[in-house]
Structures are given as C-alpha cells and as structure tokens.
Amino acid sequence: MDAMDAEWKARLAAMDAKWEAKLDSMDMRLKRVEMKLENDVIPRLQNIEDCYRTTFDRYRESVAGYESMQADVEILKRVVMDHSEKLKQLA
C-alpha cells in the first residue's frame, strides 16, 4: 500500500510540475500580450481616436457654415428673382 501511495504521490507531483510549467508559460505569454497592448496597440488606438475626433470636430463646424451659406444662397436667389422681375417690368 505504501508503494502504491508513493507511486500516486510521484505521479501527482509530476502532473503538478507539468501544470506549473504550463501555467508559467501561459503567464509569460499573458505578460507579453499585456505589454504589447500597453506599449503598441493602445497608443495607436488613442492616435486613431484623436484623428477621428479632430476630423469630426472640423466637419461639425463646417456643417454649421454650410447651413448658414445655404440660407444666404436662398436669400440671394429670392433677391435675384425679384430684381429680374423688376428689370423685366422696366424694359
């Protein structure tokens, strides 16, 4: 019985060592992924976000200008049509 117990303990110790090695390997891989995210991916994403945000702000500002310009064009069209009618009556 003691021999069997020792054999099981040895097997469990071997399995434990095997799983410890796998977990250590996974831990190292996880640390590399975290470092890659922190040092490479996140700064790039922040840069992309900044570019899109500034582009969005410029478009938002220009849309307000377009709406104002469209109102001015509508007024100009009415004035030109009115003046055209007046010029036709004078001719």
Side-chain angles (χ1 to χ4, degrees):
M1 191 74 153
D2 286 336
M4 200 180 208
D5 190 40
E7 181 183 340
W8 277 107
K9 284 182 181 179
R11 281 187 177 180
L12 286 173
M15 287 175 64
D16 188 40
K18 181 180 175 183
W19 282 108
E20 255 328 292
K22 285 187 178 190
L23 287 174
D24 287 344
S25 172
M26 288 176 63
D27 188 44
M28 289 301 295
R29 290 176 62 195
L30 181 60
K31 285 180 183 176
R32 281 194 302 252
V33 169
E34 288 173 341
M35 294 297 290
K36 182 74 170 173
L37 286 172
E38 182 178 333
N39 295 322
D40 192 30
V41 176
I42 292 173
R44 286 183 180 194
L45 284 175
Q46 288 172 339
N47 187 27
I48 292 169
E49 178 187 10
D50 291 341
C51 290
Y52 276 110
R53 187 176 302 267
T54 57
T55 301
F56 171 75
D57 290 339
R58 279 185 283 140
Y59 283 137
R60 182 178 49 196
E61 291 169 9
S62 68
V63 165
Y66 288 139
E67 291 170 354
S68 173
M69 192 175 10
Q70 187 176 16
D72 291 344
V73 168
E74 289 298 321
I75 292 169
L76 283 171
K77 284 179 5 182
R78 280 188 248 135
V79 169
V80 168
M81 288 172 50
D82 184 47
H83 286 183
S84 292
E85 287 297 321
K86 288 180 181 178
L87 286 173
K88 283 181 187 177
Q89 290 174 357
L90 290 175

